Amino acid sequence: KKKHTRPTFTGHQIFALEKTFEQTKYLAGPERARLAYSLGMTESQVKVWFQNRRTKWRKKSALEPSSSSQRAGGSGGERVASETEDDEYNKPLDPDSDDEKIRLLLRKHR
């Protein structure tokens, strides 16, 4: 068996992927196929790159509000509102009784 190797992307490919990501966080099938073809990549490489990039983007977005409030003079003992909201976000939802909560979370994370 051949060992799976991680693909290395050229600077040009990464630049094009980042520029596309700035414009849209999700690619539909035809857009993904077009981008993959133009960059000499497979569709699955583009798909996985976008999945990984969205994860990185979400983590960065989640950290920004709490880090800015700490810099503004918040003491270490206080819980930041975004941390409390994250706790709410991570709790399991009951699809039968949490309709409003689900709508709020979906609206917040668009």
Side-chain angles (χ1 to χ4, degrees), residues 18 24 52 84 88 96 110:
E18 288 288 353
T24 180
N52 291 339
T84 308
E88 280 297 305
D96 298 321
R110 276 191 186 146

Side-chain angles (χ1 to χ4, degrees), residues 44-60:
S44 78
Q45 285 176 320
V46 172
K47 178 183 169 187
V48 170
W49 188 92
F50 264 79
Q51 288 172 339
N52 291 339
R53 187 63 182 81
R54 281 193 299 270
T55 301
K56 179 180 175 182
W57 171 66
R58 283 189 200 106
K59 283 182 183 177
K60 185 177 178 238

Side-chain angles (χ1 to χ4, degrees), residues 15 38-39 42-43 57 59-60 67 73 78 80 92 94 106-107 110:
F15 179 79
S38 71
L39 295 176
T42 66
E43 285 187 55
W57 171 66
K59 283 182 183 177
K60 185 177 178 238
S67 61
E78 296 173 2
V80 180
D94 177 3
L106 287 172
R107 200 175 313 118
R110 276 191 186 146

